[in-house]
Amino acid sequence: MCRLLGLTSAPDRARATFWLLDAPDSLDVQSHRNPDGTGLGVFAADGTPDVFRQPLAAWEDHDFAAQARHRTSTTFVAHVRHASTGRRTTANTHPFCQQGRLFAHNGVIEGLDRLESRLGSAAMRTVAGDTDSERFFALITAEITNAGGDIGRGITAAARWVAANLPVYSINLVLTTPRELWALRYPDTNTLFLLRRGAGGHHGGRPLDHVDAAGTTRVRSSDLATVASAVVASEPMDEHPDWRALRPGELLRVLPGRITTTRIALPDPPAHPLTLADLRPEAAASQTAGRRAEGADTASQAGTR
């Protein structure tokens, strides 16, 4: 399935190198699991968002490592796409940027005609592609504006409207600003994990070096040997004992210094839940690719706790 990864070291800037499909012997297999795009979003020193994305299978995307190798930021969001809705184009590749915020999504939302009606023509003019993800982000952006700039209230209002009115399989998300990282897991169909990492990690003095169970996403940072950070990912990315699964409906906010607040923003199940059997074949494939590796990883994590 699509892979989400968010990282924050705010207020400190860190250099983080992102690779996709780092193991040479897994390139072919993984390119079939996540063939539809790769993206990385960061913030410049003045807070300007900077997004690099390509609608290519990760193993084909030779520019990604070169672009990502020396990027510095206070927050990062990375995404590997397995398309469920929308063509394989740059406009449909995550992460998306709206009003200085970066956003990536893993899941399936249907009933997009009704979502477009909810957005209205003005908000729809901000949507460049044809994905459910970007339309959901546009709704979040509109609700943040309605809430006077309160990001948590905006995410909650948008997610609750979608959960009450549209067919939903999953709306897991990561949203970043230069100083904050937000994440939502909803409902319980796809996993999302948090690691609050002290400077140097569990043993102290060590750089960050994470890779997900499928070998799809890898992040390294020597700077995080001396800087505290927090990581949100679709599955645990190493054997650190402190990875925690977000609960269904849990909205997470990480402020500078790893200050974390969390609450159940969506306590009720979707009004119109979708199962894999309800999805179009391409959408179902996007939500199941790589799950064998995830299951093995989750089992190994349980064994270390």
Side-chain angles (χ1 to χ4, degrees):
M1 66 180 186
C2 298
R3 289 320 200 273
L4 291 175
L5 188 143
L7 187 153
T8 177
S9 59
D12 299 296
R13 297 186 67 80
R15 188 180 310 276
T17 301
F18 288 80
W19 282 279
L20 303 180
L21 308 175
D22 196 44
D25 61 351
S26 68
L27 293 184
D28 182 65
V29 173
Q30 294 301 329
S31 69
H32 291 290
R33 290 179 180 170
N34 299 278
D36 299 316
T38 60
L40 173 66
V42 299
F43 291 91
D46 64 358
T48 302
D50 186 8
V51 177
F52 174 75
R53 53 186 185 164
Q54 292 285 352
L56 299 173
W59 69 271
E60 296 179 300
D61 193 355
H62 302 297
D63 290 337
F64 188 91
Q67 290 287 332
R69 189 171 300 277
H70 300 297
R71 296 290 178 99
T72 63
S73 187
T74 49
T75 62
F76 299 80
V77 57
H79 187 272
V80 183
R81 185 179 186 224
H82 193 306
S84 59
T85 304
R87 297 163 294 165
R88 186 173 163 179
T89 64
T90 300
N92 288 336
T93 305
H94 307 226
F96 303 102
C97 181
Q98 295 179 12
Q99 295 189 10
R101 307 179 193 101
L102 299 175
F103 172 91
H105 165 244
N106 172 24
V108 179
I109 303 169
E110 295 187 352
L112 297 189
D113 54 345
R114 189 170 182 188
L115 178 52
E116 291 175 1
S117 296
R118 171 78 175 186
L119 287 170
S121 57
M124 278 301 299
R125 283 195 289 271
T126 69
V127 176
D130 47 21
T131 64
D132 53 347
S133 303
E134 190 181 14
R135 284 159 175 75
F136 181 34
F137 187 25
L139 181 62
I140 291 171
T141 299
E143 293 293 353
I144 292 172
T145 299
N146 292 340
D150 188 315
I151 295 175
R153 286 174 56 195
I155 293 174
T156 300
R160 286 181 176 176
W161 186 89
V162 168
N165 293 282
L166 302 181
V168 170
Y169 181 78
S170 172
I171 53 173
N172 285 10
L173 66 88
V174 172
L175 184 153
T176 58
T177 74
R179 291 179 54 82
E180 300 181 14
L181 182 151
W182 294 81
L184 172 70
R185 180 190 178 197
Y186 184 78
D188 60 354
T189 42
N190 289 335
T191 58
L192 201 60
F193 287 80
L194 166 69
L195 173 64
R196 297 175 71 246
R197 185 180 189 273
H202 183 54
H203 299 286
R206 295 188 179 180
L208 178 74
D209 190 351
H210 284 337
V211 61
D212 68 18
T216 307
T217 309
R218 187 167 199 157
V219 56
R220 290 177 177 171
S221 176
S222 58
D223 293 346
L224 296 185
T226 57
V227 175
S229 61
V231 184
V232 172
S234 297
E235 62 274 340
M237 295 182 70
D238 64 8
E239 294 184 356
H240 195 295
D242 293 341
W243 284 101
R244 178 181 73 81
L246 271 63
R247 296 162 291 169
E250 185 174 354
L251 178 64
L252 168 76
R253 181 191 191 189
V254 185
L255 292 161
R258 294 190 309 148
I259 299 170
T260 304
T261 61
T262 180
R263 61 187 175 89
I264 300 299
L266 283 80
D268 301 316
H272 310 284
L274 294 170
T275 68
L276 285 174
D278 299 321
L279 301 180
R280 292 169 288 108
E282 61 271 25
S286 76
Q287 299 305 300
T288 57
R291 284 206 167 180
R292 180 179 300 176
E294 289 172 23
D297 182 80
T298 301
S300 70
Q301 293 299 313
T304 64
R305 292 170 189 263

